[in-house]
């Protein structure tokens, strides 16, 4: 059996039904999963399906199984790593997520995902170095490249045999990512099949963009999460007809005996009040170490796993306390401080530079670690969490907000470029799509949401917030019940941040020229 052949998985009935329904849709579009064969894509056909279910219902397992079946049928993967020239007789698949972190969660589970932004744009490769990529991926002969020795090519080949990463292989040959990719342009030609994870985060414009590119689109999403701002509590898949939605209602056996998911699913009880839920958390914490009833916030964890809050005022207070506990000066950042990208501050005439920044992973909501000042004024060296090639240098506007002050302090001030807020605490809305090994949830904010009596799509807002926050935890949940911060036990560090390849340099000049 091929290494990429479908695994012998034990599906629940609703998973098996969803698999068969997606397979039937693909068959109508010329991809036969049962026979492992493909036909050229027919023109004019289009299809959108949604697979929805709560955490633990097996959406990722189903997505991974479908990916393996498509690969076994000979469908080519389009990824953020390297996109070879299209062949007319080959079918393609792209697996997408709204954020770098969400894509990296899938990649760690063996599913080669990339971001939506990265697929909306296509890279412009240096023709000389593209020959190396074609050779490594089996699309061309071993090249002769001016300035590169046979030994350097051998190193690239040996790296690629161990880790199938084009950026990593080029780095092993002594090339930078910016040598290979000279720029980006909006994708003009459509692709083929697209799988979109965390589709509850999509807005209508993103869905329209994806429908232009992918004739066959399958959305995977959780209806219990928070809807994007502006969609009035609805997810884009709710607007599809019921016949286009496949619902996974059974919690899969591999996720049973998981106290974190048990707590998340308990929130589905309409009669459950906040106080009852807290007693439930406290009781679970007594018997299972995966749930912690915490009297204070852990400052060490905040460096890599932000505290999840509801209110902006809480977020700013916790960040201020974190920086003070770490001994950070008021007018500068320490290497190792976490940041969140707050968007790109560029005029419209610099569209090409915006595309370059976004394609490298600096999209709104991206998690970033500050590594130190760049070599040019206003530039910062950054590690983009979850990006395929994470270490970059970019013109940066880093804002440090302070309690009771309207204007933030600007720690790094390029005239224009990528804007950042501090990331030691983030709102639960911005945490959607991300996961961390251990998650701290600031319970006093959820109590405030419960006291406010607000609801979203007929569900108490505090329950939606709690559900999203809890399901961000992969292995351990800390339910923080007091507005206190424990002193850090170790200084900030960047030693844990391993680059995939050598750092990339983003040539965004301060002058904007």
């Amino acid at each position: 059996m091929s290494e990429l052949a479908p695994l012998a998985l034990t599906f629940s009935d609703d998973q098996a039904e969803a698999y068969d329904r997606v397979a039937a849709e693909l068959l109508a579009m010329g991809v036969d999963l049962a026979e492992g064969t493909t036909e050229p894509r027919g023109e004019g056909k289009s299809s959108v399906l949604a697979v929805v279910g709560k955490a633990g219902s097996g959406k990722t397992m189903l997505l991974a199984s479908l990916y393996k079946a498509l690969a076994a049928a000979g469908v080519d993967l389009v990824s953020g790593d390297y996109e070879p020239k299209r062949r007319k007789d080959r079918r393609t698949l792209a697996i997408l997520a709204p954020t770098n972190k969400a894509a990296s969660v899938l990649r760690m589970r063996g599913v080669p995902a990339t971001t939506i932004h990265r697929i909306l744009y296509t890279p412009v490769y240096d023709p000389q170095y593209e020959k190396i990529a074609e050779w490594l991926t089996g699309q061309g002969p071993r090249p002769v490249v001016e300035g590169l020795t046979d030994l350097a090519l051998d190193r690239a080949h040996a790296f690629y045999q161990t880790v199938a990463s084009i950026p990593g292989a080029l780095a092993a040959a002594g090339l930078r990512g910016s040598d290979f990719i000279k720029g980006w342009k909006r994708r003009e030609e459509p692709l083929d099949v697209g799988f979109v994870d965390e589709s509850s985060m999509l807005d209508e414009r993103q869905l329209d963009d994806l429908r232009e590119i992918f004739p066959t689109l399958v959305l995977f999403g959780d209806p219990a999460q928070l809807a994007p701002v502006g969609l009035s509590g609805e997810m884009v898949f709710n607007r599809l007809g019921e016949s286009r939605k496949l619902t996974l209602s059974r919690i899969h056996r591999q996720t049973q005996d998981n106290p974190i998911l048990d707590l998340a699913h308990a929130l589905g009880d309409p009669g459950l009040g906040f106080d009852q839920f807290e007693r439930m958390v406290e009781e679970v914490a007594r018997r299972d170490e995966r749930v912690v009833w915490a009297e204070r916030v852990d400052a060490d964890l905040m460096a890599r796993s932000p505290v999840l809050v509801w209110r902006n005022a809480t977020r700013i207070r916790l960040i201020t306390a974190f920086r003070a506990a770490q001994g950070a000066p008021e007018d500068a950042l320490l290497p190792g401080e976490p940041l969140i990208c707050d968007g790109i501050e560029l005029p419209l005439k610099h569209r090409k530079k915006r595309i370059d920044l976004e394609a490298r992973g600096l999209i709104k909501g991206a998690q970033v670690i500050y590594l130190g000042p760049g070599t040019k004024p206003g530039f910062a060296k950054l590690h983009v969490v979850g990006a395929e090639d994470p270490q970059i240098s970019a013109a940066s506007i880093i804002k440090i907000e302070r309690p009771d002050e309207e204007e933030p302090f600007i720690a790094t001030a390029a005239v224009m470029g990528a804007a950042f807020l501090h990331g030691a605490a983030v709102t639960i809305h911005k945490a959607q799509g991300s996961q961390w090994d251990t998650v701290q949830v600031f319970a006093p904010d959820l109590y405030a949401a419960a006291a406010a009596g607000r609801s979203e799509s007929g569900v108490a807002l505090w329950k939606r917030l709690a559900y999203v926050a809890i399901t961000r935890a992969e292995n351990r949940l800390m339910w923080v019940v007091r507005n206190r911060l424990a002193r850090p036990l170790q200084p900030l560090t960047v030693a844990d941040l391993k680059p995939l390849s050598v750092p990339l340099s983003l040539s965004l000049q301060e002058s904007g020229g």
Side-chain angles (χ1 to χ4, degrees):
M1 179 180 287
S2 165
E3 183 178 75
L4 288 172
L7 298 177
L9 298 173
T10 305
F11 280 158
S12 60
D13 290 343
D14 52 8
Q15 282 178 312
E17 184 178 342
Y19 183 99
D20 290 345
R21 179 69 190 285
V22 174
E25 204 81 5
L26 291 169
L27 180 61
M29 303 298 277
V31 180
D32 190 333
L33 297 188
E35 296 296 327
T37 60
T38 63
E39 297 176 1
R41 179 167 58 85
E43 297 299 324
K45 292 183 177 181
S46 65
S47 162
V48 181
L49 279 179
V51 178
V52 301
K54 290 188 177 181
S57 59
K59 296 185 299 296
T60 302
M61 176 184 172
L62 181 62
L63 189 159
S65 183
L66 287 164
Y67 152 62
K68 288 180 171 64
L70 281 161
V75 174
D76 287 339
L77 185 77
V78 177
S79 75
D81 188 357
Y82 169 64
E83 190 172 332
K85 292 183 174 68
R86 293 278 302 279
R87 290 181 286 169
K88 288 185 179 180
D89 60 330
R90 300 288 283 184
R91 306 297 300 271
T92 64
L93 165 71
I95 302 170
L96 314 174
T99 65
N100 299 298
K101 192 68 166 65
S104 72
V105 168
L106 284 176
R107 290 198 299 272
M108 286 189 293
R109 294 176 180 174
V111 179
T114 190
T115 62
I116 292 169
H117 276 76
R118 176 60 186 79
I119 289 297
L120 291 178
Y121 305 109
T122 56
V124 178
Y125 299 117
D126 182 293
Q128 169 172 233
Y129 300 133
E130 187 174 14
K131 293 176 184 176
I132 304 174
E134 289 174 346
W135 166 55
L136 293 172
T137 56
Q139 310 290 319
R142 181 182 174 109
V144 175
V145 180
E146 185 179 350
L148 279 188
T149 64
D150 281 342
L151 181 60
L153 287 174
D154 289 341
R155 284 200 304 268
H157 186 266
F159 183 97
Y160 193 78
Q161 298 310 302
T162 305
V163 181
S165 163
I166 295 296
L170 293 174
L175 296 171
R176 298 177 303 169
S178 53
D179 294 328
F180 179 48
I181 297 177
K182 309 309 284 185
W184 306 83
K185 62 181 180 179
R186 181 81 180 197
R187 185 179 295 278
E188 296 171 356
E189 295 296 320
L191 289 172
D192 193 349
V193 180
F195 289 171
V196 187
D197 197 30
E198 297 287 354
S199 63
S200 57
M201 298 174 67
L202 295 181
D203 58 31
E204 291 283 5
R205 181 177 176 180
Q206 287 173 311
L207 181 60
D208 288 343
D209 284 341
L210 291 169
R211 292 181 83 158
E212 281 184 22
I213 293 174
F214 295 101
T216 305
L217 200 57
V218 184
L219 311 177
F220 295 80
D222 186 338
Q225 291 200 22
L226 294 156
V229 175
L231 284 188
S232 305
E234 274 198 314
M235 282 79 168
V236 290
F237 48 71
N238 288 337
R239 301 185 180 186
L240 299 176
E242 285 303 312
S243 65
R244 310 305 296 168
K245 283 197 299 184
L246 316 172
T247 302
L248 305 180
S249 54
R250 179 180 163 189
I251 304 308
H252 202 264
R253 60 181 177 79
Q254 276 112 318
T255 64
Q256 290 174 1
D257 189 35
N258 183 328
I260 298 171
L261 285 182
D262 288 345
L263 288 169
H265 296 144
L267 292 161
D269 179 356
L272 184 71
F274 180 82
D275 289 340
Q276 290 172 285
F277 182 71
E278 278 218 315
R279 299 289 73 76
M280 190 181 294
V281 174
E282 191 173 18
E283 192 276 326
V284 171
R286 289 195 193 101
R287 57 180 168 79
D288 198 307
E289 61 184 11
R290 290 171 287 181
V291 176
V292 178
W293 182 268
E295 293 288 335
R296 58 189 67 205
V297 175
D298 185 324
D300 289 309
L301 271 176
M302 291 172 75
R304 296 294 178 267
S305 177
V307 183
L308 305 186
V309 304
W310 174 46
R311 299 175 291 192
N312 264 317
T314 306
R315 179 180 62 83
I316 294 168
R317 283 200 309 272
L318 284 169
I319 287 168
T320 303
F322 168 83
R323 299 196 77 240
Q326 292 287 358
E330 287 195 6
D331 59 350
L333 289 174
L334 295 175
E337 289 197 61
L339 303 172
I340 297 288
C341 183
D342 197 39
I344 308 296
E345 297 190 3
L346 278 173
L348 285 175
K349 66 178 182 178
H350 294 296
R351 179 175 175 271
K352 186 176 179 182
K353 290 172 181 174
R354 173 186 292 274
I355 290 172
D356 194 41
L357 289 165
E358 290 177 340
R360 302 262 188 224
L362 292 180
I363 55 180
K364 187 159 186 166
Q367 297 165 52
V368 174
I369 307 297
Y370 178 75
L371 300 176
T375 54
K376 301 175 186 176
F379 274 61
K381 293 176 183 175
L382 306 165
H383 179 101
V384 184
V385 176
E388 285 99 335
D389 206 343
Q391 297 200 359
I392 63 175
S393 176
S396 303
I397 303 156
I398 300 177
K399 306 171 186 178
I400 305 297
E401 301 157 289
R402 295 167 173 168
D404 306 318
E405 291 186 19
E406 281 194 28
E407 294 299 318
F409 170 75
I410 308 297
T412 298
V415 173
M416 57 187 181
F420 299 94
L421 302 175
H422 207 279
V426 303
T427 61
I428 294 168
H429 271 90
K430 281 194 174 176
Q432 287 197 134
S434 296
Q435 282 194 306
W436 296 271
D437 180 81
T438 300
V439 164
Q440 302 185 82
V441 179
F442 195 71
D445 258 24
L446 297 183
Y447 172 77
R454 290 170 54 180
S455 65
E456 186 179 278
S457 294
V459 178
L461 176 61
W462 77 266
K463 290 185 177 181
R464 283 194 179 272
L465 291 166
Y467 177 87
V468 172
I470 286 169
T471 53
R472 299 313 91 203
E474 290 183 315
N475 294 309
R476 192 161 168 257
L477 169 68
M478 296 180 66
W479 188 262
V480 182
V481 296
R482 294 186 182 276
N483 190 8
R484 295 177 181 172
L485 183 74
R487 289 188 178 277
L489 301 178
Q490 56 192 26
L492 288 168
T493 181
V494 296
D496 59 316
L497 304 174
K498 305 297 182 188
L500 176 64
S501 63
V502 295
L504 304 173
S505 175
L506 300 187
S507 55
L508 178 63
Q509 304 296 331
E510 280 193 80
S511 63

